[in-house]
Amino acid sequence: MAATAQRGEATLPRPLLTIGVPVAGVLLVTAFLIQGFRYDLLGERIAAALEQSQGIRVSIGNLGPAFQLAGPALEGTNIRATLSEGLSLEIDRALVRPAWSLSWFSGNPAVHLELESALGQASGTASWGSSPSWDGSLSNVDLQSELFAQLFPAGKLAGTLDANIDVSRNESGPEGHVDFQVREGSISSPKLPLALPFQIVDGELTLGGDDQLRIDSLEFDGPVVSGSGSGSIAKGAPFPQAPLILDLHLKVKPALSGAARSAGLSVDRNGETKTRVSGSLANPIIR
């Protein structure tokens, strides 16, 4: 009898759980498709859940079934998302399906998301619960959008961004890692004598820990200046106003060394200099 009781209390093998839970999600979506599910009501529930949990107001123009090799999915079009900061994003197409992820076992349901908009594209796995997370990528993102203007209010960014993002949010804020590349752009600021064009910028960022954001590495190259840097943005204030430290090693093109000296940079005869940007993104101070 004791042996029988122990067998009755045994849990399912982990491999079976690993396969079974995502399959159950796929089968559930498939049942919705077959039975003529009320997608308009589902869209309203998704919008209500996003506003309650994330403070994002969402309106969905159309929601219906879609089929992929990875399984059945839901597809929404003509979507408008209003963030808690008041920013609005127009999303042309969003696709969501159950993700093949082990996060289901920690009580964080996961979905695969694909988003397309005039701002750019996003694709990855999102989970929610006690520690919401995103593990995915951004591609062809336009940095001249209003969203990035709020992050860098003291100047203007231009260029096309690609990034890999693996972040989660807990009680202390977001944590994780971002590596990015920006192509064919420029940066301008009242603190600079002229806009600085660049061909490429590569960087790696760490969120969380002792700082709000740590700039682990920064490499850039352009027709005017090239260089590298690292730094941090401290905790304790909204992102644009948080204390900034960015140490840069710059190499100015020889023909522009005179202009760099006129701007206050002590450039040596090879066109090289080291400088520090402090203050904040909203009010940078270049020394």
Side-chain angles (χ1 to χ4, degrees), residues 117-138:
S117 72
L119 177 63
Q121 295 83 46
S123 176
T125 299
S127 65
W128 62 95
S130 59
S131 182
S133 67
W134 168 263
D135 183 2
S137 62
L138 304 177

Side-chain angles (χ1 to χ4, degrees), residues 38-50 58 60 63:
R38 290 289 305 276
Y39 296 104
D40 54 342
L41 297 179
L42 178 60
E44 292 174 4
R45 295 196 64 178
I46 292 173
L50 281 171
V58 176
I60 304 174
L63 184 66

Side-chain angles (χ1 to χ4, degrees), residues 76 78-81 88-94 114-122 138-142 145 147-148:
N78 300 323
I79 300 167
R80 182 182 182 88
S88 293
L89 299 177
E90 303 289 342
I91 300 172
D92 300 323
R93 172 182 175 270
E114 297 175 15
L115 305 175
E116 297 176 5
S117 72
L119 177 63
Q121 295 83 46
L138 304 177
S139 57
N140 299 316
V141 175
D142 182 7
S145 70
L147 176 63
F148 290 97

Side-chain angles (χ1 to χ4, degrees), residues 112-252:
H112 174 79
L113 285 173
E114 297 175 15
L115 305 175
E116 297 176 5
S117 72
L119 177 63
Q121 295 83 46
S123 176
T125 299
S127 65
W128 62 95
S130 59
S131 182
S133 67
W134 168 263
D135 183 2
S137 62
L138 304 177
S139 57
N140 299 316
V141 175
D142 182 7
L143 290 183
Q144 298 187 78
S145 70
E146 184 182 356
L147 176 63
F148 290 97
Q150 283 207 354
L151 294 177
F152 186 52
K156 292 183 179 180
L157 293 172
T160 303
L161 168 73
D162 296 325
N164 296 311
I165 302 172
D166 184 2
V167 297
S168 61
R169 175 179 287 276
N170 54 34
E171 293 180 356
S172 61
E175 294 185 349
H177 184 79
V178 177
D179 62 78
F180 67 90
Q181 183 179 91
V182 183
R183 308 183 306 276
E184 303 297 335
S186 66
I187 179 170
S188 60
S189 168
K191 307 290 183 178
L192 298 173
L194 72 165
L196 294 178
F198 56 79
Q199 275 95 31
I200 195 163
V201 176
D202 285 303
E204 294 185 10
L205 311 174
T206 298
L207 284 73
D210 294 333
D211 299 302
Q212 187 170 179
L213 180 147
R214 189 173 70 246
I215 305 165
D216 298 313
S217 67
L218 192 66
E219 304 281 342
F220 50 94
D221 187 40
V224 176
V225 63
S226 60
S228 61
S230 61
S232 63
I233 296 177
K235 292 181 176 180
F239 190 76
Q241 288 80 38
L244 165 70
I245 294 293
L246 178 59
D247 291 313
L248 298 171
H249 180 194
L250 307 176
K251 185 168 185 179
V252 181

Side-chain angles (χ1 to χ4, degrees), residues 251-255 257-258 261 265-273:
K251 185 168 185 179
V252 181
K253 304 303 180 183
S257 294
R261 292 189 186 96
L265 296 178
S266 51
V267 178
D268 65 19
R269 58 185 179 181
N270 296 318
E272 296 187 27
T273 184

